Amino acid sequence: MRITWTGTEHTACVCRRVCQRGFWETDSGPSERGPEVGQLRETENIGTDGQQLMSKGTATKGHRHSWPHGGAQTQLAPWRGTDTAGPMAGQAPEKRGLRDSQDASGLQDSLFSSESDNSLYFTYSGQSNTLEVRDLSYQVDMASQVPWYEQLAQFKIPWISHEDSCELGIQNLNFKVRSGQMLAIIGSSGCGRASLLDVITGRGHGGKIKSGQVWINGQPSTPQLVRKSVAHVRQHDQLLPNLTVRETLAFVAQLRLPTTFSQAQRDKRVEDVIAELRLRQCADTRVGNKYVRGVSGGERRRVSIGVQLLWNPGILILDEPTSGLDSFTAHNLVKTLSRLAKGNRLVLISLHQPRSDIFRLFDLVLLMTSGTTIYLGAAQHMVQYFTEVGHPCPRYSNPADFYVDLTSIDRRSREQEVATREKAWSLAALFREKVRDFDDFLWRVEEGEPEVGTCAESAAPVRDTDHLRDSAKPPGSVQQFTTLIRRQISNDFRDLPTLLIHAAEACLMSLIIGFLYYGHGSDRLSFTDRAALLFMIGALIPFNVILDVIAKCHSERAMLYYELEDGLYTAGPYFFAKILGELPEHCAYVVIYGMPTYWLANLRPSPEPFLLHFLLLWLVVFCCRTMALAAAALLPTFHMSSFLGNALYNSFYLTGGFMISLDNLWTVPTWISKVSFLRWCFEGLMKIQFKGQTYPLVVGNLTIPIPADIILSTMALDSYPLYTIYLILIGISSGFVVLYYVTLRFIKQKSSQDW
């Protein structure tokens, strides 16, 4: 087979797909372009095995291609395998492998990277960091991974532990990583990546360390040390969708940077992070989510990294940062992380099976299976290590794919599971034997070789004089509150479609009720008709508020949980910001709902009844809103919270004094009616509209005027004066507010998607 190729250096070539997929492809038909200066015309004879290459052409300017990997003696392959072929077989393999790796990196940059600027805008200027794991064994309680409400559904008692559900997630793990290195943890599902990140970040939910310890900068890991040194980027992005990228980072800068920072320094830090993460082109674009159109998935992931990068941590840990991203975006994201590592940072990422161009960016690789180490060392030496132990990587295969598959546990049958597990254990034992004499447990080609990815290999970083110091004082509660309330109001009022829908909903419901009672002119409605109107005014609007508030709280619940866990703020400032930040929307909603009905139904037009009416309506809607907030914070899922909110509302509705007289209620409903804000709202509205009025009672040809006070007493709606009703509603709302704070303070706001 003969292939003729024409191309120029640093330009697109007809065999671009070679570097992506690892084999030759030819375009149909000869090239229409003739030879020009700087072009190469080359005719190569490829043998039947597809491996031997013989060059028969000369050129004024060469163009070299690098394979994802292949034979050790093949010029086109940086990955060292077992085959020996080609005219360059006599060349020193180490020099040739290094040169081909550099060529591969250069070609990879030209093919996949959209970022030509590789300079460092934002470096870590603190002392070098080390992360060390010593003889770590970690046990996972599988039963604790199941939410308590699902255990109840399975007729299990949640707080009783089951010993048979515990299994080792990590076994005798050792490694040591330093600043300037990027360590990638790879392996199949269930290999222990998530458990390892939980232990390092101090968030081992549902697990227990059986032995060993994590050391950070030579000190045993503590929650305080982790919070000062380690930034954790979760797998799922949790950001407010209606804020722009710059606003998102600016608000976090207000919450996270010390009080010693001036506003100009905070703004500079935000701009430095935007420049470092290549977010300038979308800095003023909304973040968005799956419902709100905003930045792309890769840009949103970079914003999540920027949120953690703002306080300039020395250790950056990322959980599955490329999940859900296309290959091009994932490559650029990992390249950004590699650049961050060169800025004197320690970067640790967990990945499933990275493709070859991403694998080439790693400094160190930790391959795990069933919680044990199969390989830990330089990524560029991984193929050579497995070749030495008898498992060479096939030509034109991705080493990450091949070796993850090689060490995976096959659970399709009992026999296959036993066989694959024994093979994985033997490889793990062999690796432990080879690194027994190394203090950092890294496998090396030969002793004394310089470590991979150290700071010395990176460009000299620009010193950041604004580096956070341990003695820096974080923002206080007042500053946290002001920042949170500004962030909430900005996010809420940017969501114009939702605001318009709520306003239209309130206006439409008010008009429907008002037009139902419209058309009587100066004639007053009968007592029963007006009583029904007042009960509907106080009962219908809270029903819509419940679901809206609960849905909004659960959409922000995961973000709240992460921010509280990271220490971005405490529960107190968030609580006050949440309560007070919703008051503008709350007031507008009450006005839009109450105004049309009041005038269309021809209620008492004087100013005093009008103001008292609106104040009472404002209080009952506020009671309902705080009840919904407490229900949303108390239970972990939207369905459970909405069920609790609707159950409470229906109980208050039925005991409100309109469906059945309060005197005819038995003991339990009577006690419920005493805390029913719908009952007190109905009683207050009746007093405002009927107190001191007389209504004619028509009996045959007789018309008997009857004071309305007597009717109120008959309905048991005249037990307390009007001001007492306002105080009772304030007390009920205060009770729900206290319940909401207690749930925020003592119940972890872990949403159902994070179990």
Side-chain angles (χ1 to χ4, degrees), residues 20-296:
Q20 300 182 33
R21 302 175 60 180
F23 55 86
W24 287 100
E25 293 184 2
T26 61
D27 290 355
S28 59
S31 173
E32 297 180 357
R33 299 178 56 189
E36 300 175 0
V37 177
Q39 291 184 329
L40 170 68
R41 179 169 295 278
E42 190 174 276
T43 303
E44 297 166 340
N45 292 330
I46 301 179
T48 56
D49 59 354
Q51 298 176 8
Q52 187 174 5
L53 300 173
M54 297 178 61
S55 176
K56 291 186 178 180
T58 58
T60 58
K61 206 168 187 179
H63 185 94
R64 180 180 292 110
H65 287 275
S66 298
W67 303 92
H69 58 84
Q73 305 300 326
T74 303
Q75 182 184 4
L76 303 179
W79 308 114
R80 283 176 288 214
T82 58
D83 298 335
T84 303
M88 305 300 292
Q91 188 175 350
E94 289 296 329
K95 294 181 179 179
R96 186 171 61 255
L98 178 60
R99 184 182 65 183
D100 292 335
S101 298
Q102 294 172 351
D103 294 338
S105 299
L107 183 58
Q108 193 69 47
D109 290 343
S110 65
L111 291 179
F112 294 101
S113 178
S114 63
E115 302 167 350
S116 59
D117 185 7
N118 291 321
S119 59
L120 292 169
Y121 291 88
F122 187 62
T123 59
Y124 177 76
S125 60
Q127 64 178 1
S128 296
N129 291 272
T130 58
L131 176 63
E132 185 176 2
V133 175
R134 301 180 183 175
D135 299 321
L136 179 65
S137 294
Y138 179 73
Q139 189 178 51
V140 180
D141 185 4
M142 303 306 295
S144 67
Q145 307 300 316
V146 181
W148 61 266
Y149 49 88
E150 291 188 8
Q151 295 188 36
L152 287 178
Q154 299 172 3
F155 300 101
K156 295 180 180 179
I157 302 177
W159 53 84
I160 295 181
S161 61
H162 304 276
E163 295 296 334
D164 56 346
S165 65
C166 297
E167 64 180 36
L168 281 176
I170 300 175
Q171 304 179 39
N172 300 323
L173 179 63
N174 294 274
F175 69 84
K176 187 175 183 179
V177 194
R178 299 175 177 85
S179 291
Q181 296 176 331
M182 180 169 66
L183 171 65
I185 306 172
I186 63 175
S188 59
S189 299
C191 70
R193 297 190 313 269
S195 298
L196 177 58
L197 295 189
D198 286 341
V199 175
I200 293 175
T201 57
R203 299 174 176 90
H205 307 296
K208 180 181 179 182
I209 297 178
K210 302 294 292 184
S211 63
Q213 199 169 20
V214 177
W215 293 70
I216 299 177
N217 299 330
Q219 302 178 17
S221 177
T222 61
Q224 294 77 16
L225 183 59
V226 169
R227 184 168 293 183
K228 291 180 180 179
S229 306
V230 179
H232 185 201
V233 181
R234 278 79 171 184
Q235 181 176 357
H236 303 287
D237 301 318
Q238 299 296 338
L239 304 166
L240 292 176
N242 297 299
L243 298 179
T244 65
V245 172
R246 181 175 280 108
E247 289 172 338
T248 300
L249 297 177
F251 281 123
V252 175
Q254 294 289 337
L255 292 168
R256 198 63 185 262
L257 297 182
T259 54
T260 55
F261 273 49
S262 65
Q263 186 59 43
Q265 289 175 312
R266 296 176 193 272
D267 294 340
K268 182 180 182 299
R269 176 64 61 85
V270 170
E271 295 302 323
D272 288 343
V273 171
I274 290 175
E276 179 66 48
L277 297 177
R278 308 308 195 256
L279 293 170
R280 286 196 183 108
Q281 73 281 2
C282 61
D284 297 316
T285 305
R286 292 190 185 189
V287 173
N289 55 18
K290 59 183 178 180
Y291 303 112
V292 180
R293 185 175 179 84
V295 299
S296 65

Side-chain angles (χ1 to χ4, degrees), residues 208 211 289 334 440-441 578 693 708 739:
K208 180 181 179 182
S211 63
N289 55 18
V334 177
D440 54 3
F441 304 95
K578 187 69 175 176
Q693 303 291 315
L739 178 61

